[in-house]
Structure formats: C-alpha cells, structure tokens
Amino acid sequence: MKQFTMNLPTLKEIEVKVFQQLQVMFADLMVRCLEQIDQWIMEHRDHARYRLRDIRQVAMSTVFGEITFKRRLYQDREKGTHVYLLDQALSFDGQSGISPHLEEWAVELATAGPSYHEAARQMEKLLGYRAISHETIRQRLISKAEQKAAVPKEKKPAKVLFVEVDGLYTKLQRTKRRHQENKIAIIHEGWERHGKRTQLRNKVHYLHKDRSVPFWEGFGDFLIEHYDVNEETWLVVTGDGADWIGECESYFHKCIYTLDRFHVARELKRYLRELPAHWQAARQALAAYDPQALMAAVEAVPVDQLSSDLHEGWERFKAFLRQHENHLIDYRKVLKANGLEVKGMRPMGSAESQMRTFAKRTKRGGYSWSVRGVQAILQSIILRKEGRAGCKGLELTDVREEKPPIRISQLMKKPKEFTTGVINGMLRTLQTSKQSSPLGMALKGLRG
C-alpha cells in the first residue's frame, strides 16, 4: 500500500492534467458550436443579397488553447464587398487570430500592470501555452484605446458640475521631447453614499490628446457631448494652481476656481513642521476656508526660525498664496449666494488619489513611453475605472463620427489671457495645417 501511495501524483499535478483535458474538451465543443452557427447563418441568410463564395479555415487563440474551424465567405451584392457573416453575427474579427475574450483579458492585465511582458507571462502560466505576445498586447491596447467611444444618446442635464484637474508628467522615448505633461480632468455630479462609503456620482474622465487645441476648449467640447450645458451651468474647478488650470475662469461664464487644499496643506506642513504653533494656525485657517486668516498666519511666520535652505522656497510659496488668495474660498458659499442648493456637497480634493492610479502604471520602474503609447495606456485605465473596458462603444463595428451640433467656443467667454501662444514666442498658425497657406508662408518669411 505504501508503494502505491508514494507513486500517486500530487494534487497540483492532478489539477494541471484535469485543466488541460478540460481545455481540449471545451476547445472541441467551441469549434462545433461555431461551425453549427455558421451553418445556420448560411441557411437563413438573405440569399438575394449574400452570395456564398468559399469556405475557409481560420486559426484562433482562445482561453481553451488554439482552435481551428471553418467559416463561410460571402459576397455582399449591395456593397460589392466580401464578408464573413459569422464574424458580423458574433462581433469578432477572425483575421486577428485572437478571441475577443482573450484579447480583453490581456488588455485588462496590461492596464493593471506592471508591464506588457508580465501580462503575457501571467497568461502563459495560467493557460499552459503562449497565447499572445507582449507586443501583440501592446498593439491591441493601443488600437482599442484609440477607437472612438460611442457618444451618449441622451445628454445629462446639469446645473453644477465638479471638475478636478491635474497634470501627469511621463518620460518619452524616440522623440526630441524628454517629458510630456498629460492633462486629465475628472468630472462628476456630486457625492452619494454607498453604505459607509461616499463615492463620486457619475464620474467620467477627460484626457487631453490634441495639443494643437487649448485644454479648456477640448474639455468644453467633451462636456457638450456628455451633458446638457448652457451659459447657466456652474463649473466648480479644483487644481494645484498651475497657470493652464487657472485659465478656466477666462473660458466659462460661471466658473469657480479653487486651489486643491491637499497641495496647499502639504506645502504648509513642509515649511512649518518645525513651528507647530504657526502650523496649527495656518492649518485651522485653511480648514475654515478663511483666506484672510490664512494669509495673516502665513505672514506671521518668523522667517529667521525656518531652516536656511527653506527661505527662498517659503518666499515663493507666500507669493503663490497671495496670487491665489481668491481661490482659497469655500465654493459652496458662492453657489448658495447664487440661489443653488448645496446640501450634500463636500470639500473637493480627490484628484490626487485618482492621479496615483495613473502614475503607478506609467512611472513605476522608470518607464519611458511613446506619445501614442502613454495616451493609450492612460485611456485604457480610464475605461477600466469607468467600467467601460470592452464596452460596445469600442467594438469592431463602425462608429459614425458625428460632430456635436454646437461647439463649446459658442458658450465660452472671450479668454482674458493665456499662458501659451504669442507670449511664449509661438504663433498658432505655424503649428497647424495652415502653415503652408499664403498667410503661413508670409509669417515664416517674417520669422527669418
């Protein structure tokens, strides 16, 4: 008995063998299922439109292993093209060589990180065969992220929208620029309770991709696609004080711009941690949304008691707070003064935690990216966070690209000032397709 017991396989070996046998069985079942569906489509197709031309064999990687099956090719008499009706009926691309489920799984693993290589290794380890390479995963992720998502059929009415904006710097490769700031906006409609937790209601993300268009103009067009906005819509914008974020006040009629208190509190603590009394006074004024009290507490700090290496930075930070004193207010008081209900509205400041998710995937390990690659991975993370990964808006079916009936520029104020453009020695015309026009050539001649 002891001899027989010692020769038995381990539980792990049994589990692996059973899994492999199930893969073979399910692969065979899937082939028969696909071929029977293709047979049914042939018998019930529109015979007047689709003419049977050929039966072709295709190989495809699936979670069951690689399968090979036959499907029928038809000629579409109306369009004059050749189609596989099975592919259309089941929403997949037989020419890709990868099943939609396997592709979605690979993209999900790559999005969660830490790398394309690790996603491919994890899938190979579980499935028992090399189902997809890391380069294929990268190409599929970029392709899916660049497909235009379906625009909502019905726009949501909104009296107040909350916008938290930040920039994420990533290293670039194969380009003259060494870094790129990826500007991201998080839009939500307020807060709602789920048990003991509070979550943002109907959160969506905007990733600014077109560098030839100002951020807030592109953001505005995104708003028009998703919300029923007009000149009476209030935007509550929170940011870290970057100049490009502050331009929101110049673009929108009813816009409240406030500083992200997380960044302000972090800097205050960095400078005043050795002066607890002054740190306590500044922190209480910040928490009470009292700009005057905060500035009084800041001005009362004895500079000579700070470390010498902090003097220059402290003066710059004080100047920054003076510049943004009007942006340290409580936005709820402004909304209430304008007749809006503010019950349930909370302090803003979730952008930093949201950005950590993006930074964890794009900065960990000192990664450097192509411009296309970093935008694709950020867009993929956004789809995952919004629960839209693999959604219908990103399927293989054609999505008609319709321009919004109205552009945000029609609802915007005339911008007062910009941090980009002629001030920095750049003419917008020379950065667009009009650079070869007579006007563009004339400007180039003046440039010398």
Side-chain angles (χ1 to χ4, degrees), residues 14-45:
I14 294 174
E15 187 176 5
V16 170
K17 289 293 183 183
V18 171
F19 181 73
Q20 291 173 347
Q21 290 299 318
L22 288 175
Q23 282 182 303
V24 173
M25 293 171 57
F26 290 153
D28 180 64
L29 178 61
M30 188 170 184
V31 168
R32 284 186 287 160
C33 181
L34 291 173
E35 291 184 345
Q36 287 179 14
I37 294 175
D38 194 48
Q39 174 73 23
W40 184 89
I41 291 174
M42 181 197 69
E43 296 170 356
H44 294 83
R45 75 185 190 278

Side-chain angles (χ1 to χ4, degrees), residues 196-385:
K196 295 183 179 180
R197 301 185 62 185
T198 301
Q199 295 181 349
L200 303 181
R201 184 168 66 246
N202 298 329
K203 179 177 63 175
V204 294
H205 300 72
Y206 169 69
L207 172 63
H208 189 61
K209 297 180 180 179
D210 188 354
R211 297 172 64 86
S212 66
V213 175
F215 172 84
W216 289 110
E217 187 172 332
F219 170 83
D221 290 333
F222 178 85
L223 281 188
I224 283 183
E225 287 185 345
H226 291 78
Y227 298 95
D228 183 12
V229 295
N230 53 43
E231 294 182 357
E232 299 302 314
T233 302
W234 283 86
L235 291 183
V236 181
V237 180
T238 295
D240 60 6
D243 291 338
W244 64 272
I245 298 178
E247 289 175 1
C248 63
E249 294 181 302
S250 298
Y251 273 95
F252 300 99
H253 291 272
K254 295 188 175 181
C255 177
I256 306 172
Y257 174 42
T258 62
L259 283 186
D260 187 345
R261 296 191 305 158
F262 168 83
H263 292 89
V264 178
R266 183 180 62 184
E267 290 301 300
L268 285 172
K269 185 175 182 180
R270 184 166 74 91
Y271 288 111
L272 304 180
R273 67 178 66 190
E274 302 299 331
L275 303 174
H278 293 281
W279 157 236
Q280 183 71 7
R283 185 178 66 173
Q284 290 178 349
L286 179 65
Y289 295 95
D290 190 339
Q292 291 76 25
L294 175 61
M295 293 309 302
V298 167
E299 296 293 348
V301 174
V303 180
D304 58 344
Q305 294 186 23
L306 295 175
S307 301
S308 58
D309 58 328
L310 296 178
H311 288 180
E312 185 177 349
W314 174 247
E315 293 300 328
R316 285 199 303 268
F317 182 60
K318 285 201 300 184
F320 171 82
L321 291 178
R322 294 190 198 101
Q323 178 186 355
H324 292 281
E325 184 173 352
N326 294 332
H327 302 144
L328 293 166
I329 60 173
D330 187 346
Y331 74 88
R332 291 169 292 192
K333 293 181 180 179
V334 179
L335 293 178
K336 189 174 183 179
N338 283 273
L340 278 77
E341 177 59 52
V342 298
K343 183 179 180 180
M345 294 185 182
R346 298 165 58 90
M348 297 176 67
S350 66
E352 188 67 20
S353 62
Q354 301 284 337
M355 295 300 288
R356 287 196 194 103
T357 305
F358 298 105
K360 183 178 179 181
R361 179 62 181 92
T362 57
K363 291 188 172 184
R364 180 171 50 187
Y367 292 152
S368 59
W369 304 79
S370 65
V371 174
R372 260 184 92 206
V374 71
Q375 289 183 347
I377 197 68
L378 292 175
Q379 187 66 46
S380 186
I381 295 173
I382 287 172
L383 295 176
R384 183 169 178 257
K385 290 170 72 70

Side-chain angles (χ1 to χ4, degrees), residues 103 106-108 110-111 116 132-149 173-174 207 209 361 368-381 383 394:
E103 178 180 340
V107 169
E108 173 74 11
T111 302
Y116 298 116
I132 186 171
S133 68
H134 72 277
E135 178 59 24
T136 302
I137 295 176
R138 188 183 76 86
Q139 293 293 343
R140 295 307 168 88
L141 185 146
I142 291 176
S143 177
K144 290 178 75 69
E146 289 182 344
Q147 290 180 19
K148 183 176 176 61
Q173 60 181 349
R174 296 191 294 273
L207 172 63
K209 297 180 180 179
R361 179 62 181 92
S368 59
W369 304 79
S370 65
V371 174
R372 260 184 92 206
V374 71
Q375 289 183 347
I377 197 68
L378 292 175
Q379 187 66 46
S380 186
I381 295 173
L383 295 176
L394 297 175

